PDB file of all heavy atoms in Angstrom:
ATOM      1  N   SER A 379      -3.805  -4.320 -19.882  1.00 92.00           N
ATOM      2  CA  SER A 379      -3.403  -2.966 -20.228  1.00 92.00           C
ATOM      3  C   SER A 379      -3.967  -2.606 -21.599  1.00 92.00           C
ATOM      4  O   SER A 379      -3.998  -3.440 -22.498  1.00 92.00           O
ATOM      5  CB  SER A 379      -1.884  -2.899 -20.246  1.00 92.00           C
ATOM      6  OG  SER A 379      -1.479  -1.610 -20.602  1.00 92.00           O
ATOM      7  N   ASP A 383      -6.155   1.016 -29.262  1.00 87.00           N
ATOM      8  CA  ASP A 383      -7.290   0.093 -29.378  1.00 87.00           C
ATOM      9  C   ASP A 383      -6.895  -1.343 -29.094  1.00 87.00           C
ATOM     10  O   ASP A 383      -7.711  -2.245 -29.237  1.00 87.00           O
ATOM     11  CB  ASP A 383      -7.876   0.172 -30.801  1.00 87.00           C
ATOM     12  CG  ASP A 383      -8.697   1.430 -30.987  1.00 87.00           C
ATOM     13  OD1 ASP A 383      -9.133   1.996 -29.971  1.00 87.00           O
ATOM     14  OD2 ASP A 383      -8.878   1.855 -32.139  1.00 87.00           O
ATOM     15  N   GLU A 384      -5.639  -1.554 -28.752  1.00 90.00           N
ATOM     16  CA  GLU A 384      -5.172  -2.922 -28.512  1.00 90.00           C
ATOM     17  C   GLU A 384      -5.192  -3.233 -27.012  1.00 90.00           C
ATOM     18  O   GLU A 384      -5.137  -2.325 -26.182  1.00 90.00           O
ATOM     19  CB  GLU A 384      -3.755  -3.104 -29.047  1.00 90.00           C
ATOM     20  CG  GLU A 384      -3.671  -2.966 -30.553  1.00 90.00           C
ATOM     21  CD  GLU A 384      -2.244  -2.935 -31.036  1.00 90.00           C
ATOM     22  OE1 GLU A 384      -1.682  -4.002 -31.264  1.00 90.00           O
ATOM     23  OE2 GLU A 384      -1.700  -1.832 -31.171  1.00 90.00           O
ATOM     24  N   MET A 388      -1.685 -10.407 -19.327  1.00 90.00           N
ATOM     25  CA  MET A 388      -0.777 -11.440 -18.830  1.00 90.00           C
ATOM     26  C   MET A 388      -1.541 -12.340 -17.868  1.00 90.00           C
ATOM     27  O   MET A 388      -2.220 -11.850 -16.961  1.00 90.00           O
ATOM     28  CB  MET A 388       0.428 -10.856 -18.104  1.00 90.00           C
ATOM     29  CG  MET A 388       1.454 -11.949 -17.796  1.00 90.00           C
ATOM     30  SD  MET A 388       2.919 -11.353 -16.948  1.00 90.00           S
ATOM     31  CE  MET A 388       2.396 -11.486 -15.277  1.00 90.00           C
ATOM     32  N   VAL A 390      -1.678 -14.238 -14.827  1.00 86.00           N
ATOM     33  CA  VAL A 390      -0.830 -14.154 -13.626  1.00 86.00           C
ATOM     34  C   VAL A 390      -0.403 -15.532 -13.121  1.00 86.00           C
ATOM     35  O   VAL A 390       0.589 -15.656 -12.405  1.00 86.00           O
ATOM     36  CB  VAL A 390      -1.509 -13.364 -12.476  1.00 86.00           C
ATOM     37  CG1 VAL A 390      -1.566 -11.900 -12.788  1.00 86.00           C
ATOM     38  CG2 VAL A 390      -2.884 -13.903 -12.159  1.00 86.00           C
TER      39      VAL A 390
ATOM     40  N   TYR B 613      -3.069   8.987 -29.687  1.00 97.00           N
ATOM     41  CA  TYR B 613      -3.730   7.909 -30.419  1.00 97.00           C
ATOM     42  C   TYR B 613      -5.126   8.351 -30.878  1.00 97.00           C
ATOM     43  O   TYR B 613      -5.603   7.948 -31.932  1.00 97.00           O
ATOM     44  CB  TYR B 613      -3.838   6.657 -29.546  1.00 97.00           C
ATOM     45  CG  TYR B 613      -4.352   5.461 -30.303  1.00 97.00           C
ATOM     46  CD1 TYR B 613      -3.512   4.737 -31.145  1.00 97.00           C
ATOM     47  CD2 TYR B 613      -5.689   5.091 -30.220  1.00 97.00           C
ATOM     48  CE1 TYR B 613      -3.992   3.663 -31.880  1.00 97.00           C
ATOM     49  CE2 TYR B 613      -6.172   4.010 -30.940  1.00 97.00           C
ATOM     50  CZ  TYR B 613      -5.323   3.297 -31.768  1.00 97.00           C
ATOM     51  OH  TYR B 613      -5.804   2.238 -32.496  1.00 97.00           O
ATOM     52  N   ARG B 628       3.998   3.242 -29.716  1.00 95.00           N
ATOM     53  CA  ARG B 628       3.235   2.003 -29.498  1.00 95.00           C
ATOM     54  C   ARG B 628       4.164   0.862 -29.111  1.00 95.00           C
ATOM     55  O   ARG B 628       3.880   0.093 -28.190  1.00 95.00           O
ATOM     56  CB  ARG B 628       2.463   1.652 -30.773  1.00 95.00           C
ATOM     57  CG  ARG B 628       1.685   0.355 -30.678  1.00 95.00           C
ATOM     58  CD  ARG B 628       1.131  -0.072 -32.028  1.00 95.00           C
ATOM     59  NE  ARG B 628       0.711  -1.461 -31.980  1.00 95.00           N
ATOM     60  CZ  ARG B 628       1.521  -2.489 -32.218  1.00 95.00           C
ATOM     61  NH1 ARG B 628       2.795  -2.285 -32.503  1.00 95.00           N
ATOM     62  NH2 ARG B 628       1.070  -3.725 -32.139  1.00 95.00           N
ATOM     63  N   SER B 635       4.416  -2.534 -21.123  1.00 94.00           N
ATOM     64  CA  SER B 635       3.329  -3.298 -20.490  1.00 94.00           C
ATOM     65  C   SER B 635       3.833  -4.658 -20.034  1.00 94.00           C
ATOM     66  O   SER B 635       3.551  -5.099 -18.914  1.00 94.00           O
ATOM     67  CB  SER B 635       2.185  -3.534 -21.478  1.00 94.00           C
ATOM     68  OG  SER B 635       1.477  -2.375 -21.662  1.00 94.00           O
ATOM     69  N   ARG B 643       4.168  -9.319 -11.181  1.00 92.00           N
ATOM     70  CA  ARG B 643       4.145 -10.725 -10.793  1.00 92.00           C
ATOM     71  C   ARG B 643       5.294 -11.034  -9.821  1.00 92.00           C
ATOM     72  O   ARG B 643       5.106 -11.707  -8.806  1.00 92.00           O
ATOM     73  CB  ARG B 643       4.274 -11.571 -12.068  1.00 92.00           C
ATOM     74  CG  ARG B 643       3.777 -12.963 -11.935  1.00 92.00           C
ATOM     75  CD  ARG B 643       3.469 -13.553 -13.282  1.00 92.00           C
ATOM     76  NE  ARG B 643       3.297 -14.980 -13.132  1.00 92.00           N
ATOM     77  CZ  ARG B 643       4.216 -15.882 -13.444  1.00 92.00           C
ATOM     78  NH1 ARG B 643       5.358 -15.500 -13.938  1.00 92.00           N
ATOM     79  NH2 ARG B 643       3.974 -17.156 -13.266  1.00 92.00           N
ATOM     80  N   SER B 676       0.396   0.053 -16.659  1.00 93.00           N
ATOM     81  CA  SER B 676       1.238   0.388 -17.814  1.00 93.00           C
ATOM     82  C   SER B 676       1.144   1.866 -18.192  1.00 93.00           C
ATOM     83  O   SER B 676       1.788   2.308 -19.130  1.00 93.00           O
ATOM     84  CB  SER B 676       0.823  -0.438 -19.017  1.00 93.00           C
ATOM     85  OG  SER B 676       0.814  -1.786 -18.687  1.00 93.00           O
TER      86      SER B 676
END
Side-chain angles (χ1 to χ4, degrees):
Chain A
S379 179
D383 284 339
E384 295 171 87
M388 189 180 88
V390 288
Chain B
Y613 187 78
R628 178 190 165 273
S635 286
R643 202 159 167 258
S676 307

